[in-house]
Amino acid sequence: MKKILEPKDSLLTIKYAPDGEVLNENPPRFTWMPASDEDLEYRLQLSKNPDFTEDATTTFEHIPYNFFTLDESLEPGTYYWRYSLNDKNFDYSKVRNFQITNDMIQTPLISREHRYDQVTLTHPRIWLNQEGIKNFRENLKKEKNYCGFDTFYQKSILTYLDKEFIKEPKPYPGNKRVVHLWRQNYTDCQEALSHIRSLAVGGVILEDERMIAQAKAALLEIAGWDTKGPTNRDYNDECAFRVAYALAFGYDWLYNYLTKEERDYVFDKLFIRTKQVADHVIVNSRIHFSLYDSHAVRSLSSVLSPCCIAMLTDCKEAKEWLDYTIEYFNVIYTPWGGIDGGWAEGPMYWTTGMAFVIDAINMIKNFTGIDIYKRPFFQKTGDFPLYCNPVDTYRASFSDQSNLGKYPGHKLAFNIRQFALVSKNENYRWFYDEVFKREPEIEQAFYNNGWWDFHFDEMVYQHDSKDTTFEKQELDMVKWFHDIGWVAINKDMKDFNNHIFMLTKSSPYGSVSHSHGDQNSFLLFAYGEPFIIKSGYYVGFNTSMHRDWRRQTKSHNTILIDGKGQYAEMDKAKQLNAKGCVCEVKEQENLVYIKENATKAYAENAPELKDYTREIYFIDKSYFVIVDSIEAEHEVSVDWLLHSLTEFNIDQNKFSIDRPKARLDGKVVYCSSQIESLTQTNEFEGVDLKEIEGLDEQWHLTMKTKKAKNHVIVSLFVPSKVEDRKIVTAIKDDQGHDVFIYFSHDGNTFSLRTDGNKRY
């Protein structure tokens, strides 16, 4: 009897898809659980008949991994599929189905057999080929600053001309990671990359022997760095990514200027470093099976794309790794979001992830003609920073952010400009323009100069982009990213003086990777001021500030149960289990309603919690009411938390925050279990004081309840400018229920009973 191959999937693994849904792109993206760690080949059958009759069935064989898409689109209709191993001892899996409709995005992928039929295999291949260089050179004779080349020449090429090449980074003291040395080392490696790339591009385009000679010398020097030393993938992967890319770019652009011995020497080191990354991605981390390795996924862009393109004709492994990369981008990417364009790791990791994947997609498109931008995610992902990291805000978005106290940065703006080209969305272009209007000069913080050469990026963008007519698109006041469980409210986004922004999340990603234990949390920014903030500082991953404060629920604007928060430690399965859910979002003329549930997020640490639901009301486009409902197995106390850059003014059950441009008035209108205390502190509990030395204070408010099995907490938040103060009062109705009543300056009213019944 033949074996049926169908391993069980789990939270951490890839899922079986498509499985009963109407698809959003054509052809489908097939994924299934891999059979084992070994190299295996699969076969897949696709049919218009659930019985897989021969006349209605197509069989695809020799599929090397557990993900696959077709090289042509399908006709509309219902289809059935199943898979197995290319092994006569195995039968097919269960049958799954999907539907194709007429209005789907067409995204077929050229098959492996024909993927490189039309490519130009001479060097260079990364960015420009020989014909492209010739055309660039001719245009440069007509226009000195063609595509920003003169700026690149002045700011990048001349920076490295005659400059001593960076020294190889040294090991950490005692080989124990030190955050500032880790960061300094990868910043040095970024400089090494920019050094080689700038002189190679300048030398080849300008046919300048001096630049070429210096670029060659730098390339040979970095090739001599110890492949098992401090820039090894397992020692400091950020260093390894940059060194591998530097070798790839130098090998590719200087190929025709290297001797046979020099080529072989550089190739050997490039191959070793690329293999280190490929082995980690495909063999060890197995991101086609276990999806949530942030750096491994990013290394497809930063390493495998450029390195494999550079080496494609020199070793069979390069083609295998490049095929894996292209197919991953076309089938699985991204594990951090979906068709809404969200990014569960937050806007800073969207910035880094997108910056590298933009480079990779452009390389692949220029080299093979494959346009990955057509996929639904890339058509929509500019919405994520636009709505969840608005251009005039700071300290107002979730997850790890190295620029947490800054406005959205220049690289984020570069990214969204690229997606403006992809989707022709003028709002994305507006975002880019506003960033550079506010800050024309790019500051040299580590998350800029340690990661990018903006002058090279600008030159590439100007060259690769064509004249685009942007399309006017209406802005949504409410944006629900179903894929990641974030909801953004933006009232008057483009009118900074009147912009009100609230962001809340209850995410299926829980606290995995760069996410935190912050389900049902919210942030509030209004009239140019951060009021309710993402607290703490991103000193570095796994510092005490990161591990013991920022990842923990106590640093967020949500609740603790008997002092216990959501799971935010390092077990990845438990992180994903500690999830939330946005249950409902409704938008009416004078009301936005959001309902979210974070019960599962507390299951590991506070199993006595039976239910935690938060309801958010945005009323009259001017103020917020939040209703928290908590039910427990036995009596518990609740810590209701808020965080601010500014000390709270506390008066019994009221609090306020005064900022230079605006004020926030708040009130705990009702607490069914009674308020035991309302206090604040400016201390970061559990954080090494050395990590925060010299950093500004932040304030943390805790409203503690008395013990009860059931709690209902109703709170009110009224942001205002001086001329727009609001009046809020609370009364009891004829049934004894507490009711708060809001009066705006124009006389509109709204009331809410604390048992949940609403009146307008």
Side-chain angles (χ1 to χ4, degrees), residues 529-549:
E529 294 291 357
F531 287 119
I532 307 302
I533 67 162
K534 168 75 178 152
S535 75
Y537 293 91
Y538 192 42
V539 179
F541 191 88
N542 208 31
T543 58
S544 69
M545 169 58 81
H546 178 261
R547 181 184 62 249
D548 300 326
W549 181 261

Side-chain angles (χ1 to χ4, degrees), residues 14 28 146 169 196 211 219 227 244 251 260 281 337 403 415 487 547 571 580 596 602 624 639 688 737-738:
I14 200 163
Y146 173 69
I196 292 169
M211 291 181 193
L219 176 63
T227 58
Y251 179 76
K260 173 67 166 57
V281 169
N403 68 335
N415 290 353
V487 184
R547 181 184 62 249
D571 184 307
E596 51 196 358
Y602 293 85
F624 298 86
D639 289 350
D688 184 347
H737 293 288
D738 285 300

Side-chain angles (χ1 to χ4, degrees), residues 121 123 125 251-252 255 263-264 267 270-271 307-319:
L121 293 175
H123 292 279
R125 303 167 185 166
Y251 179 76
D252 185 44
Y255 187 90
R263 272 186 219 144
D264 291 345
F267 172 82
L270 172 59
F271 178 82
C307 294
C308 293
I309 288 173
M311 296 190 298
L312 187 61
T313 50
D314 300 317
C315 62
K316 64 180 179 61
E317 292 90 346
K319 182 181 181 300

